[in-house]
Amino acid sequence: MTATANATAADRLARHFSRLTPETITDQAKTAVKRLLLDYLGVALAGSQTESGRIAGAYALADGGQPQSTLIGGNGKAPAAQAAFANAIASHSIELDDIDVFAYFHFSPPVFSAALAAAEKAGASGAQLLAALAAGCEMMERVSRAANPSLRDRCYHSTPTCGVFGAAVAAGKLWGLSAEQMVSAIGLAGAQASGILEFHGHSMQKRFSPGPGARGGLTAAHLALLGFTGQDTVLEGPRGFLKAFTDEPDPSQLTAGLDTPYRLDIEFKPYSCARPIHNAIDCALQIRRRDEPRLEDIDAILVERHPSWAHKHQNKAPESYHAAQLSLHFSVAVALREGRALLDQYSDRNLHDPAIVRLMRITDIAADPSLPRGVSCRMTVTMKDGRRFSAQVDYPKGSIQVPMSDAEIEAKFTSLAAPVIGTEAAGELVERVRGIEHGGRVGELMALTQRRRQAGRV
């Protein structure tokens, strides 16, 4: 490893994460990753039962191999890299996975899928898993902050492109990589960074996105463990990740504040759609509760968004639930109609409902640079008699400023997990996650995520 004075970003990050232990991660980070672990397991369990989740699970088993890591919501195990791939897809299949504070990426599909698969293969403890999750999330966020918003604006998907680095670091921690080997894992992760935003349609394309990131992270860590070396300048080098993927990078964000405790802020989704749409849903629900507008008397709906997101999520005629989850027009309409925006609302029955179709048609989006945040939203509902109802939301439900409580996260988990594994196993998973740093091996936790076939348990 290079001398400190000339150390590359990968060098410095590798040393930083090599020093991170279950005893040195902050209480704030520990709480954040425990809350996210429960949320992730519920989302992945429900996602495993979708068409995209089932196909990914079947793919993971198709080629055989050693049964090393659990397929969440399935009935078997697959090689670790394949399990990570399938679980990442499952956990991204219902649009209820977590989000960072800038709404650029999801931590858990690449990082948690890779870490759980690696931990189970290694026979790791819950305490070791928590440290690896904290390290992986920090690595992913550092890369995103160095690359965004330019990365997004160049049509790259931050979840896999940044997530592969976090997945590699998390797996490397669990497999005991030295600092030198961790540098190589980071370099090899960069060689696999990929993912584009061309998925706003009726296909399953978006669900696939985090799978290669999770699998690539395990591949990078495993090769590094075996002695395969990676490039230490992969992040900030003249032909590195930031140069290739961004126009306006900020390399200082890669290593800013390495000597101080890292605050890991993770936000959670109460609605089953793309996170930047949540502000509009909150506006719609506020107007619905406060003003009780008759849907048939609404003449127009104007949604003003910050220019950062104003031209995204525009689709007045989604053709599948996949597309509806990326449609602000559909989300606003269904929230006004049903007072909810969960997976049940993003359904075929609503795609062609005349009332919802009309509301989508009369909804327009405009940019307003005066709004304070990138995801800020102001909605004005104009009635046929001229009355106007307005609401503005800068911080959506589930954000750091308007958080979901532990009870709300547990209720979300149970609603998603119990139909797949049964109420008894779901309750036991809640208890195990609560005390995971004091519990046994990660494999014992993952055994509870297997689908139950017995009568009365599904």
Side-chain angles (χ1 to χ4, degrees):
M1 190 172 295
T2 58
T4 302
N6 300 313
T8 65
D11 289 332
R12 296 180 62 191
L13 288 164
R15 281 197 299 273
H16 169 69
F17 291 123
S18 294
R19 291 192 296 266
L20 195 64
T21 69
E23 294 73 34
T24 60
I25 61 172
T26 66
D27 290 340
Q28 187 274 335
K30 187 181 298 183
T31 298
V33 295
K34 285 174 66 174
R35 280 163 56 90
L36 182 51
L37 178 58
L38 186 66
D39 189 77
Y40 164 83
L41 291 171
V43 173
L45 280 164
S48 72
Q49 306 306 295
T50 64
E51 189 177 7
S52 54
R54 291 192 186 101
I55 292 171
Y59 171 81
L61 292 171
D63 292 333
Q66 294 183 355
Q68 297 168 329
S69 303
T70 298
L71 292 170
I72 295 173
N75 290 109
K77 294 185 176 184
Q82 292 294 75
F85 174 83
N87 291 339
I89 291 175
S91 68
H92 197 51
S93 284
I94 61 172
E95 286 295 337
L96 275 169
D97 40 342
D98 64 279
I99 200 76
D100 72 296
V101 295
F102 298 111
Y104 290 135
F105 67 84
H106 308 274
F107 287 100
S108 63
V111 174
F112 280 55
S113 300
L116 286 167
E120 195 170 3
K121 178 182 176 182
S125 69
Q128 290 171 317
L129 174 67
L130 286 185
L133 292 174
C137 288
E138 179 182 341
M139 179 66 189
M140 183 179 187
E141 187 166 55
R142 286 183 177 279
V143 175
S144 174
R145 289 187 173 183
N148 274 308
S150 181
L151 180 78
R152 179 205 61 185
D153 293 344
R154 289 188 60 184
C155 301
Y156 291 111
H157 191 196
S158 298
T159 297
T161 52
C162 302
V164 68
F165 293 101
V169 166
K173 290 288 295 178
L174 289 159
W175 289 342
L177 268 62
S178 66
E180 288 78 10
Q181 290 170 325
M182 190 69 83
V183 171
S184 290
I186 292 170
L188 297 172
Q192 300 174 86
S194 64
I196 56 176
L197 290 173
E198 185 57 33
F199 49 51
H200 289 252
H202 64 277
S203 75
M204 302 176 192
Q205 183 87 17
K206 187 174 190 290
R207 316 309 180 197
F208 177 83
S209 217
R215 181 175 59 194
L218 286 186
T219 300
H222 195 181
L223 283 169
L225 182 64
L226 295 173
F228 204 109
T229 57
Q231 186 69 20
D232 64 347
T233 55
V234 69
L235 292 166
E236 78 280 30
R239 291 168 294 277
F241 175 82
L242 293 179
K243 180 68 174 179
F245 283 77
T246 75
D247 296 312
E248 297 178 354
D250 183 0
S252 69
Q253 293 295 320
L254 293 169
T255 56
L258 274 184
D259 296 328
T260 59
Y262 192 82
R263 180 171 179 83
L264 190 57
D265 286 330
I266 301 170
E267 299 192 343
F268 296 86
K269 280 187 177 183
Y271 312 128
S272 187
C273 62
R275 177 58 161 187
I277 298 174
H278 284 213
N279 295 58
I281 292 174
D282 279 340
C283 286
L285 293 177
Q286 183 178 328
I287 290 171
R288 187 180 192 272
R289 288 190 299 266
R290 183 190 64 207
D291 304 304
E292 300 181 342
R294 286 169 52 90
L295 299 188
E296 58 269 30
D297 292 336
I298 295 176
D299 187 57
I301 301 170
L302 176 63
V303 180
E304 295 170 284
R305 306 180 82 189
H306 188 280
S308 179
W309 288 103
H311 305 295
K312 303 183 187 300
H313 309 116
Q314 300 209 30
N315 185 352
K316 291 193 176 191
E319 297 179 357
S320 70
Y321 89 89
H322 302 287
Q325 289 176 313
L326 298 174
S327 166
L328 183 144
H329 301 81
F330 179 91
S331 300
V332 166
V334 81
L336 286 170
R337 168 69 180 270
E338 300 195 8
R340 294 159 62 88
L342 298 173
L343 190 59
D344 286 347
Q345 278 66 56
Y346 292 86
S347 61
D348 289 339
R349 67 177 172 83
N350 280 333
L351 285 174
H352 306 293
D353 181 279
I356 290 176
V357 170
R358 188 185 84 84
L359 290 174
M360 285 193 287
R361 189 175 65 250
I362 63 174
T363 298
D364 291 308
I365 300 172
D368 182 353
S370 72
L371 289 167
R373 301 187 68 234
V375 294
S376 289
C377 175
R378 183 189 304 112
M379 182 182 298
T380 302
V381 174
T382 302
M383 307 301 289
K384 291 178 180 177
D385 62 8
R387 288 178 299 155
R388 291 186 175 186
F389 307 128
S390 295
Q392 180 172 326
V393 172
D394 299 318
Y395 296 97
K397 177 67 175 178
S399 64
I400 299 301
Q401 291 76 14
V402 189
M404 292 177 69
S405 66
D406 288 345
E408 287 173 322
I409 289 176
E410 288 183 12
K412 174 186 172 183
F413 165 80
T414 301
S415 71
L416 296 171
V420 184
I421 61 174
T423 55
E424 183 180 341
E428 189 172 347
L429 264 175
V430 170
E431 294 303 316
R432 283 185 175 269
V433 171
R434 281 178 181 166
I436 190 169
E437 67 268 45
H438 309 298
R441 301 296 173 186
V442 172
E444 298 167 8
L445 175 83
M446 296 304 290
L448 293 168
T449 69
Q450 293 282 273
R451 187 174 71 247
R452 300 297 193 258
R453 292 174 179 262
Q454 299 95 322
R457 298 295 298 277
V458 175

